[in-house]
């Protein structure tokens, strides 16, 4: 790292991370914020500002931290879309980056401090190659470090990719296209603080190696922030913590006695909650009676009993070796599942793990259903696979505001989506795919239930998954020694809700039997050692394999047939040069075909044409039309065509849609033809054979050769006769098809006696 500038009250530090430089500057922008920095990587620049209220709001009973991240179109030199030409509500990418920034910084604020804090990131410049999300985490840490806000940082953040077996720090979007790993890693000087991401079946050993690489890559960023604080940091403010008074807490413990332990061990989530709530209500009333309502507020009662219940749960685990539901520490709750539970969905499943229940539905769509979005900061601008997660109030037996998906729901859906996506061959699978996970019941890790249920529903829908995916959450309960290091701990496989609430970790890892595909770590601790994380990863692997085995009992491979309600697809390959002709001027041709067939038609730049239809008749119309319009003339093939132009030297026949060829007069019949009109008329439909195509693409056709080939196919019938002389009936062209049936004895009109010898009419050509 190096100090590159300290002038005009601004300070700038540059850190080398891998082969790239990250620059942090403070004192130049947003000087009225409690702390503000700009962070730059390449030509991507963000500003992050942190502000904390001077006092907590009256009655505040939780820590109101708000993290906001916004991308500006101007940062990429673009106009926003839409009528108003202005950025609107946050996009999914912005919401996910808010969560990415929030989760590692939140545990490092003082417990019991309830002043409102806002950390805001604005993207000022986007080069399209370096994603600002990592810079947002670094900027949040740096802005809090230089501010007077109490916060136990700093943190370093890095994205880790792997290309050709080699780890890369902060890869560009171009490098990420070749990477089999997308790991966002956040660490402090010694430990892991947070991670999330996806991988293409990375092994547990390689995943642990990636975490170690990330930890090392974070150190220059951490050192740079310490240097920046030394140059420009503010003194931390004095704060007041809001905690239950010691005398109230002691009395609450005395009144509750040992009753919380049997209450916590009550079977069933709702019964357990009710038993604990009854004790809280009884003891709370006695506390108010003794100390008065002014001292013992509802918040004080809640805070005291949170502490008491937390202490009781942790003692049960660490001292008594017991879990709330009676399981062993490494046992997954009972699993059951069903598929095909809903008649109209293209695929559906019910996945149950203990008291967690998810109904998942799959919809197969066309290219028109692919989600498109603005990508000001680079990377992908469309999604062919989508997973949406919904968490209604009734899933936890509560009432509350009913609205659209919140940040938590969007985050859980994104985790499940990126866990499953590596196992769907989207490059070759023509359908757009949407999975919706409807949580019916919740008591621990509904996102991982969505992974399992989503996989089952995809298999039920016939989606050709490479391998099934399952996920599990592993928790930890810890105890610290005098050296402020973990002295005692217990890992918990498949945590339930209260183990998540009262213990220290929620580590979600999903994958296949071969490796890891998705992961996310959330901690209530300031960090967790790498050795403990390696144990966690192994516990998750064992549990994942057990869950996959249970899922395989219901369905183990994709169904051979898709739902009758799903659109059928036919894929054709055409010459890319013919795409324009197929689409037509202003889309005229393709719009007409869509209207006539009722199909949806997607055309790729490489000439791939995907036709979607729920109607076999409509599919046939579209396939025949496209095949005919884009087909190339095949030498030796017989076509049925329409005469579109007549010339003295022959006739032009449209033998493919929009494709004409010349039948020379000498190729009209197997005898000498005097006039083209003697054989064909405008609008006649005739059979022609392709004789060749010259270098200019002109096609030579033959009616004569086609008739001869068809005669041979029908077993050799009578040869075509020349046109009749005047007074004789004209011979009609033989109809399509083989045997014409027994026509009986031919009745000839009386020609008026003996005609005498037949005159010589010359050579007639052809093989008679």
């Amino acid at each position: 790292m190096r100090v590159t500038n300290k002038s005009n009250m601004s300070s700038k530090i540059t850190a080398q991370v891998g082969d790239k430089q990250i620059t942090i500057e403070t004192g130049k922008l947003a000087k009225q914020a409690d702390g503000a920095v700009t962070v730059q990587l390449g030509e991507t620049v963000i500003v992050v500002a942190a502000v904390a209220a001077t006092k907590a709001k009256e009655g505040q009973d939780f820590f109101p931290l708000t993290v906001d991240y916004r991308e500006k179109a101007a940062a990429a030199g673009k106009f926003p879309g839409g009528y108003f030409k202005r950025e609107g509500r946050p996009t999914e990418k912005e919401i996910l980056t808010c969560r990415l920034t929030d989760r590692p910084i939140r545990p490092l604020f003082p417990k019991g401090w309830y002043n409102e804090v806002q950390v805001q990131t604005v993207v000022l410049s986007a080069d399209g190659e370096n994603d600002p999300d990592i810079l947002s985490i670094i900027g949040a840490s740096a802005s809090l470090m230089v501010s007077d806000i109490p916060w136990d940082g700093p943190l370093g953040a890095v994205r880790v990719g792997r290309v050709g077996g080699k780890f890369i720090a902060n890869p560009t979007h171009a490098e990420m296209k070749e990477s089999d790993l997308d790991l966002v890693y956040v660490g402090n000087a010694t430990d892991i603080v947070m991670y999330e991401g996806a991988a293409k079946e990375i092994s547990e050993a390689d995943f642990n190696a990636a975490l170690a690489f990330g930890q090392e890559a974070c150190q220059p960023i951490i050192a740079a922030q310490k240097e920046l604080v030394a140059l420009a940091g503010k003194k931390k403010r004095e704060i007041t913590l809001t905690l239950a008074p010691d005398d109230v807490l002691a009395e609450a413990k005395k009144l509750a006695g040992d009753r919380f332990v049997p209450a916590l061990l009550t079977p069933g989530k709702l019964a357990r909650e009710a038993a604990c709530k009854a004790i809280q209500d009884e003891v709370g009333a006695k506390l108010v009676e003794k100390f008065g309502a002014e001292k013992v507020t509802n918040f004080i009662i809640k805070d005291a009993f949170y502490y008491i219940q937390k202490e009781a749960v942790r003692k049960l685990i660490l001292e008594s070796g017991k879990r709330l539901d009676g399981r062993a520490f490494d046992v997954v709750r009972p699993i059951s599942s069903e598929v095909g539970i809903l008649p109209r969905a293209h695929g559906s499943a019910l996945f149950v793990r203990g008291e967690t229940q998810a109904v998942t539905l799959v919809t197969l769509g066309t290219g028109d259903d692919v989600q498109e979005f603005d990508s000001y900061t680079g990377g992908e601008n469309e999604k062919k696979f989508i997973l949406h997660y919904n968490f209604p109030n009734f899933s936890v037996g509560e009432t509350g505001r009913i609205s659209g998906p919140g940040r938590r729901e969007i985050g859980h859906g994104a985790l499940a989506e990126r866990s499953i996506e590596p196992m769907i061959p989207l490059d070759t699978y023509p359908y757009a795919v949407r999975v919706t996970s409807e949580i019916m019941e919740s008591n621990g890790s509904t996102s991982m239930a969505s992974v399992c249920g989503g996989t089952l529903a995809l298999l039920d829908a016939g989606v050709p998954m490479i391998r099934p995916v399952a996920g599990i959450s592993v928790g930890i309960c810890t105890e610290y020694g005098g050296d402020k290091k973990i002295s005692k701990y217990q890992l918990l496989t498949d945590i339930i809700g209260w183990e998540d609430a009262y213990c220290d970790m929620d580590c979600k890892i999903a994958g296949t039997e071969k490796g890891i595909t998705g992961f996310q770590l959330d901690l209530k601790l300031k960090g967790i050692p790498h050795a403990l994380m390696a144990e966690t990863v192994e516990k998750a692997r064992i549990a994942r394999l057990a869950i996959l085995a249970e899922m395989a009992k219901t369905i183990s491979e994709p169904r051979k047939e898709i739902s009758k309600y799903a659109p059928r697809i036919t894929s054709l390959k055409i010459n890319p040069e013919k795409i324009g002709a197929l689409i037509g001027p202003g889309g005229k041709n393709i719009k007409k075909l869509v209207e006539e067939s009722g199909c949806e038609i997607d055309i790729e730049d490489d000439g791939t044409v995907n036709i979607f239809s729920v109607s076999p008749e409509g599919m046939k119309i579209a396939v025949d039309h496209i095949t005919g319009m884009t087909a190339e003339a095949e030498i030796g093939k017989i076509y049925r065509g329409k005469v579109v132009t007549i010339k003295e030297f022959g006739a032009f026949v449209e033998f493919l849609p929009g494709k004409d060829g010349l039948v020379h007069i000498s190729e009209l019949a197997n005898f000498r033809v005097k006039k083209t009109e003697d054989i064909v008329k405008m609008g006649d439909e005739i059979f022609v054979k392709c004789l060749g195509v010259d270098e200019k693409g002109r096609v030579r056709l033959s009616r004569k050769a086609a008739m001869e080939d068809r005669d041979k196919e029908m077993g050799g019938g009578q040869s075509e006769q020349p046109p009749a002389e005047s007074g004789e009936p004209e011979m009609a062209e033989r109809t399509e098809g083989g045997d014409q049936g027994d026509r009986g004895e031919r009745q000839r009109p009386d020609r008026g006696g003996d005609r005498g010898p037949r005159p010589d009419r010359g050579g007639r050509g052809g093989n008679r």
Side-chain angles (χ1 to χ4, degrees):
M1 119 208 58
R2 57 192 174 92
V3 180
T4 58
N5 183 50
K6 187 178 181 183
S7 61
N8 299 324
M9 302 301 290
S10 70
S11 301
K12 184 186 291 186
I13 301 290
T14 297
Q16 188 76 30
V17 181
D19 61 353
K20 302 176 180 69
Q21 290 185 334
I22 294 178
T23 300
I24 310 173
E25 183 177 9
T26 188
K28 185 174 182 179
L29 300 179
K31 291 182 284 185
Q32 295 187 42
D34 291 331
V37 298
T38 59
V39 187
Q40 180 169 354
L41 172 59
E43 293 184 342
T44 294
V45 182
I46 66 167
V47 61
V48 187
V51 178
T54 55
K55 62 180 182 179
K57 292 180 181 178
E58 189 70 29
Q60 186 73 46
D61 60 356
F62 66 94
F63 176 48
L65 170 65
T66 301
V67 176
D68 192 64
Y69 166 92
R70 297 299 173 109
E71 297 175 351
K72 303 298 182 180
K78 298 179 180 179
F79 271 77
Y83 177 79
F84 294 104
K85 301 300 178 188
R86 183 166 186 165
E87 293 85 359
R89 63 182 183 180
T91 64
E92 183 173 299
K93 162 73 184 302
E94 289 171 320
I95 290 171
L96 293 174
T97 307
C98 290
R99 286 175 52 84
L100 195 68
T101 307
D102 180 305
R103 293 188 353 253
I105 68 173
R106 184 176 289 272
L108 304 184
F109 288 95
K111 301 296 184 287
W113 188 58
Y114 296 140
N115 293 32
E116 184 174 9
V117 176
Q118 292 185 345
V119 179
Q120 293 179 267
T121 299
V122 179
V123 179
L124 300 178
S125 177
D127 61 14
E129 278 299 324
N130 296 288
D131 201 306
D133 56 0
I134 295 297
L135 304 187
S136 179
I137 303 171
I138 295 171
S141 173
S143 65
L144 289 167
M145 287 297 294
V146 300
S147 75
D148 66 341
I149 300 171
W151 187 71
D152 197 7
L155 298 175
V158 64
R159 170 171 270 108
V160 179
R162 187 173 69 168
V163 178
K166 182 180 178 182
F167 293 123
I168 302 173
N170 294 324
T172 63
H173 287 303
E175 289 171 323
M176 284 303 298
K177 289 181 179 179
E178 307 300 322
S179 176
D180 64 353
L181 172 67
D182 181 7
L183 164 65
V184 174
Y185 180 93
V186 182
N188 57 28
T190 57
D191 296 330
I192 304 169
V193 175
M194 191 276 289
Y195 61 68
E196 74 167 44
K200 296 178 181 177
E201 296 185 294
I202 191 171
S203 70
E204 278 71 17
D206 288 349
F207 181 65
N208 289 325
L211 296 177
F213 178 88
Q215 177 68 24
E216 183 179 351
C218 284
Q219 300 315 302
I221 295 295
I222 293 171
Q225 291 176 69
K226 290 179 178 178
E227 183 70 21
L228 194 65
V229 170
L231 290 171
K234 298 177 181 178
K235 181 182 177 181
K236 297 300 180 182
R237 69 179 69 172
E238 296 294 326
I239 62 172
T240 301
L241 302 181
T242 304
L243 300 169
D246 290 342
D247 54 346
V248 174
L249 184 59
E251 183 67 17
K253 287 184 179 180
K254 178 181 175 182
L255 291 172
D258 295 331
R259 289 184 290 166
F260 259 115
V261 172
L264 288 169
L265 295 176
T266 302
K269 174 189 173 183
L270 297 181
R272 184 181 306 118
E273 291 175 350
C276 291
K277 184 67 166 57
I279 299 172
Q280 178 178 321
D281 291 344
E282 177 197 328
V283 173
K286 292 180 180 179
L287 292 174
V288 171
E289 183 180 339
K290 180 172 182 177
F291 295 100
E294 289 187 4
K295 184 174 183 177
V296 182
T297 62
N298 287 335
F299 165 74
I300 295 298
I301 293 173
K302 282 175 59 178
D303 189 62
F305 278 91
Y306 174 81
Y307 178 84
I308 293 170
Q309 287 183 209
K310 180 178 179 179
E311 184 179 60
V313 169
R314 298 170 78 88
K315 281 185 176 180
L316 277 172
I317 292 171
L318 293 176
E319 297 178 11
S320 302
K322 294 181 179 180
R323 297 180 74 171
L324 301 187
D325 58 5
R327 279 180 295 144
F329 293 126
D330 58 354
V331 171
V332 177
R333 287 172 288 173
I335 289 173
S336 64
S337 59
E338 302 174 41
V339 294
I341 62 171
L342 299 170
R344 296 290 296 202
H346 301 163
S348 59
L350 169 63
F351 179 82
V352 181
R353 187 185 63 245
E355 293 175 296
T356 293
Q357 190 181 70
V359 170
T360 49
L361 300 88
V362 169
T363 307
L364 303 180
T366 70
D368 289 342
D369 297 311
V370 171
Q371 183 181 15
E372 298 177 347
F373 45 85
D374 291 326
S375 182
Y376 298 138
T377 59
E380 299 295 332
N381 58 9
E382 65 176 32
K383 286 204 299 185
K384 197 174 175 182
F385 173 66
I386 305 167
L387 193 150
H388 290 151
Y389 166 101
N390 298 304
F391 190 89
N393 298 323
F394 65 74
S395 65
V396 287
E398 296 177 358
T399 59
R401 182 184 176 193
I402 298 175
S403 62
R407 289 186 176 188
R408 176 184 174 278
E409 289 171 297
I410 291 171
H412 278 42
L415 170 58
E417 179 181 291
R418 65 175 178 262
S419 297
I420 294 175
E421 184 177 11
M423 290 297 100
I424 301 178
L426 295 174
D427 290 340
T428 57
Y429 191 56
Y431 289 99
V433 183
R434 179 178 184 241
V435 177
T436 54
S437 177
E438 307 291 343
I439 303 304
M440 298 289 109
E441 190 177 357
S442 173
N443 189 17
S445 195
T446 51
S447 62
M448 294 296 96
S450 298
V451 171
C452 300
T455 295
L456 293 170
L458 287 164
L459 296 176
D460 182 53
V463 176
M465 294 188 71
I466 299 169
R467 270 173 289 280
V469 182
I472 193 64
S473 178
V474 179
I476 193 170
C477 186
T478 60
E479 188 176 282
Y480 280 78
D483 58 357
K484 296 185 179 181
K485 293 183 179 180
I486 296 174
S487 59
K488 191 174 184 180
Y489 69 91
Q490 180 61 60
L491 292 172
L492 308 168
T493 297
D494 185 20
I495 56 175
I496 61 174
W498 274 13
E499 289 173 337
D500 184 11
Y502 295 130
C503 294
D504 305 316
M505 179 178 77
D506 182 4
C507 180
K508 305 179 181 78
I509 298 179
T512 69
E513 62 183 7
K514 283 197 167 186
I516 296 170
T517 58
F519 39 85
Q520 179 174 301
L521 170 67
D522 292 313
L523 287 177
K524 295 185 180 71
L525 308 173
K526 294 180 179 179
I528 184 170
H530 280 252
L532 269 184
M533 182 49 58
E535 286 187 49
T536 303
V537 170
E538 177 60 17
K539 292 284 187 184
R541 184 190 69 83
I542 294 170
R544 182 174 78 243
L545 295 179
I547 296 170
L548 285 168
E550 290 297 317
M551 291 165 58
K553 295 176 182 178
T554 300
I555 186 169
S556 60
E557 60 182 22
R559 294 199 188 278
K560 304 302 181 185
E561 295 290 332
I562 64 174
S563 166
K564 64 181 179 180
Y565 299 114
R568 263 52 182 175
I569 182 169
T570 297
S571 294
L572 305 175
K573 195 78 170 180
I574 68 172
N575 186 337
E577 295 179 359
K578 298 204 172 205
I579 292 176
L582 176 58
I583 295 173
K588 177 182 176 182
N589 295 347
I590 199 70
K591 288 177 183 176
K592 182 180 178 183
L593 179 57
V594 168
E595 184 178 345
E596 291 177 350
S597 66
C599 299
E600 290 190 32
I601 301 171
D602 297 333
I603 305 172
E604 307 291 341
D605 291 339
D606 64 353
T608 300
V609 180
N610 292 319
I611 309 167
F612 300 87
S613 177
V614 294
S615 163
E617 295 79 11
M619 178 70 78
K620 185 176 187 306
I621 291 171
V623 169
D624 290 349
H625 186 89
I626 294 171
T627 301
M629 180 177 288
T630 61
E632 301 283 352
E634 296 182 31
I635 297 175
K637 185 173 180 179
I638 295 177
Y639 299 91
R640 185 182 180 94
K642 184 178 182 180
V643 178
V644 293
T645 305
I646 291 180
K647 299 290 185 182
E648 292 182 1
F649 52 82
F652 286 94
V653 176
E654 184 182 28
F655 65 99
L656 290 171
K659 187 75 172 177
D660 298 349
L662 173 64
V663 182
H664 191 266
I665 193 169
S666 63
E667 295 294 336
L668 282 171
N670 56 4
F671 51 81
R672 185 172 181 272
V673 177
K674 293 181 179 180
K675 292 175 61 179
T676 303
E677 292 89 337
D678 289 343
I679 303 299
V680 294
K681 303 286 191 297
M682 283 288 293
D684 283 357
E685 292 190 358
I686 63 174
F687 289 100
V688 290
K689 182 177 182 178
C690 179
L691 299 181
V693 182
D694 66 15
E695 66 279 359
K696 295 183 179 180
R698 295 177 297 193
V699 181
R700 293 188 299 113
L701 303 173
S702 172
R703 176 180 177 273
K704 175 175 67 177
M707 298 301 292
E708 289 175 355
D709 286 358
R710 288 175 57 78
D711 281 344
K712 291 176 183 177
E713 290 175 8
M714 293 185 291
Q718 286 186 331
S719 298
E720 186 180 16
Q721 301 297 317
E725 297 291 339
S726 58
E728 294 185 2
E730 186 175 320
M731 177 180 289
E733 180 166 334
R734 186 174 299 151
T735 60
E736 180 183 2
D739 187 6
Q740 298 185 27
D742 182 8
R743 294 183 289 177
E745 184 178 351
R746 189 170 182 179
Q747 301 296 319
R748 296 181 180 272
D750 184 359
R751 308 221 178 200
D754 184 11
R755 293 188 293 169
R758 193 171 188 177
D760 181 13
R761 299 173 66 177
R764 301 173 66 177
N767 181 11
R768 304 292 290 173

